[in-house]
Amino acid sequence: MFATDQTSRRHFMRHMAAGAATIPAMQFLSHLQANAQEVRRNGKAVILVWLGGGAPTIDMWDLKPGTNTGGEFKPIDTKGDLQISEHLPKTAMVMDELSVVRSMSSIEADHDRGRYFMKTGYRPEVTATHPDFGSVVSYHLGEERRELEIPAFISIGGGGGQSGYLGMKHAPFEVSSNGQIRNASLDRWTNPQRLQNRLAMLNVLEENFIKSGRGDAPQAHAEVYDKAVSLMTSSQMDAFKVEQEDQATRDAYGTSQLGRSLLMARRLVERNVPFVEVSYGGWDLHNDNFSALSTDKLPTLDSGLSAVTADLKQRGLLQDTVIVCMGEFGRTPRINQNVGRDHWARSWSVLIGGGGLNGGIAVGKTSEDGMRVEGPSYLPGDLWATVAQAIGIPLNTVHTSKTGRPMKLANGGRPIAELIG
């Protein structure tokens, strides 16, 4: 009996000792697992090339030669397993890294509504303002990057957008393509002590305002100001100075506004900014579509897009950086009387690549004349769900609107299976 008790006690004590050792071990493993996702997300980024106005993707990524809707351009082979426009020859040489989703069907063919739908994943509604996906990335990845002194969502060239229920500090921070930031220069503050005195006075006012119980806005305002001050005094501001790049790199991107903007985007990604939007407008081609594309829009896009893809790859950043190139919708397969194409959201294409996604493929297809998607079609939420998976934002994330409504990440969209490696 005694021996049995002793055995039981020893067994109990060993069990407890093992348990005591196991609990920290479990805590350690749990800590590792919790951090694993964060580690996996470190360095992840998105560059959105926004083709404002709605680009004629039927003349870029999904050509229809020999049909009434096909237009003037011919398709060319690429380094991937798909053909694209003859006016994108440099991009063709990096298409093994990029893919085209040819089966977008996004419903909204109005500029404002289409822009909202494509950038948020949600169709516009009266009762809620949804955040751009850049704000979603800022909320999830930007908050983790303590070393980041500049905003986590930067919009180059005036793309606009909103942070909705995620708060003002996740709104897009807009800069011009030459890197100038309005009112952010310290040049006029020749006396640093005077600046510090004014900031201290501002802090007192902000604290009193926050304590006055007027909702979230005062706190958000104070946080935005803190970011602004950090921005003014941070060495990370050098990311906006593309002139610091060597001449060969600048030549590769070209001298266009888009080229400078994409070079700046790469520099920002290098400094761990998780979401950069680059605006390239002027695609609302109701008139002279083919002339505008062949002499201006496509050559400019070709230089910038190919350069940023190749540059990211050469620097080892492409594996962690998703590139998305799209506008608010496509354009009609039918060519109008002004040799233009009108708004069309029923069947069009989006370019996406990098970030570990499969490159060099065409996902989905349209009919011979491009008028409809054949097979499964995709919505903006599916596109952003694909991006979310690539950069490590959990797909089961649910945000809460200002009125308490649950809002699924990317409107509950599902990642596009063909793109997931």
Side-chain angles (χ1 to χ4, degrees), residues 142-159:
E143 293 283 278
E144 297 171 351
R145 300 183 183 182
R146 307 295 181 195
E147 78 289 353
L148 191 62
E149 297 171 348
I150 53 181
F153 176 12
I154 292 178
S155 175
I156 305 171

Side-chain angles (χ1 to χ4, degrees), residues 311-389:
D311 199 8
L312 287 169
K313 183 179 181 182
Q314 185 178 19
R315 293 167 187 268
L317 297 170
L318 186 59
Q319 184 68 18
D320 290 323
T321 306
V322 180
I323 298 172
V324 180
C325 179
M326 65 180 185
E328 55 263 44
F329 40 65
R331 305 200 76 83
T332 51
R334 184 182 66 83
I335 301 167
N336 67 27
Q337 67 274 19
N338 297 317
V339 200
R341 296 187 190 271
D342 302 315
H343 302 180
W344 187 257
R346 190 183 302 171
S347 50
W348 61 290
S349 302
V350 164
L351 184 84
I352 184 170
L357 299 173
N358 291 329
I361 61 173
V363 177
K365 64 177 183 179
T366 52
S367 57
E368 185 176 350
D369 59 4
M371 296 292 289
R372 65 182 186 280
V373 172
E374 293 188 339
S377 62
Y378 296 103
L379 291 168
D382 300 318
L383 194 70
W384 289 124
T386 306
V387 174
Q389 176 140 334

Side-chain angles (χ1 to χ4, degrees), residues 1 85 93 115 128-129 174 238 259 275 313 321 332 361 395:
M1 187 67 180
S85 171
M93 299 305 294
R115 184 184 307 113
T129 301
E174 297 189 11
D238 282 351
F275 198 99
K313 183 179 181 182
T321 306
T332 51
I361 61 173
L395 296 176

Side-chain angles (χ1 to χ4, degrees), residues 114-137:
R115 184 184 307 113
Y116 188 100
F117 194 23
M118 290 306 300
K119 288 190 175 183
T120 68
Y122 285 84
R123 298 177 75 177
E125 57 182 84
V126 176
T127 56
T129 301
H130 304 93
D132 280 23
F133 202 76
S135 297
V136 174
V137 174

Side-chain angles (χ1 to χ4, degrees), residues 10 29 36 44 64 71 92 198 205 235 247-248 270 279 340 360 416:
R10 283 199 298 271
L29 287 173
K44 299 289 186 183
K64 304 294 181 183
R198 289 200 171 197
L205 292 173
S235 62
Q247 189 62 48
E270 275 186 318
S279 290
I416 299 171

Side-chain angles (χ1 to χ4, degrees), residues 8-31:
S8 297
R9 190 175 296 115
R10 283 199 298 271
H11 175 77
F12 176 74
M13 293 304 290
R14 281 201 301 271
H15 184 76
M16 288 297 291
T22 301
I23 289 171
M26 289 179 65
Q27 289 174 337
F28 177 66
L29 287 173
S30 176
H31 178 70

Side-chain angles (χ1 to χ4, degrees), residues 189-263:
W189 294 102
T190 55
N191 184 342
Q193 187 57 51
R194 188 182 179 200
L195 173 62
Q196 292 303 321
N197 291 341
R198 289 200 171 197
L199 290 172
M201 184 172 66
L202 177 63
N203 284 336
V204 172
L205 292 173
E206 294 276 23
E207 288 176 8
N208 289 336
F209 202 41
I210 291 169
K211 291 176 182 175
S212 65
R214 303 188 184 198
D216 298 333
Q219 181 64 46
H221 185 266
E223 291 172 352
V224 169
Y225 253 90
D226 283 345
K227 274 288 184 184
V229 173
S230 295
L231 189 71
M232 292 168 66
T233 56
S234 172
S235 62
Q236 294 176 8
M237 286 284 282
D238 282 351
F240 297 102
K241 299 175 181 176
V242 297
E243 65 273 15
Q244 292 183 349
E245 294 287 328
D246 61 59
Q247 189 62 48
T249 302
R250 282 184 282 162
D251 288 345
Y253 280 83
T255 57
S256 68
Q257 176 179 320
L258 177 67
R260 291 194 304 274
S261 299
L262 286 171
L263 179 52

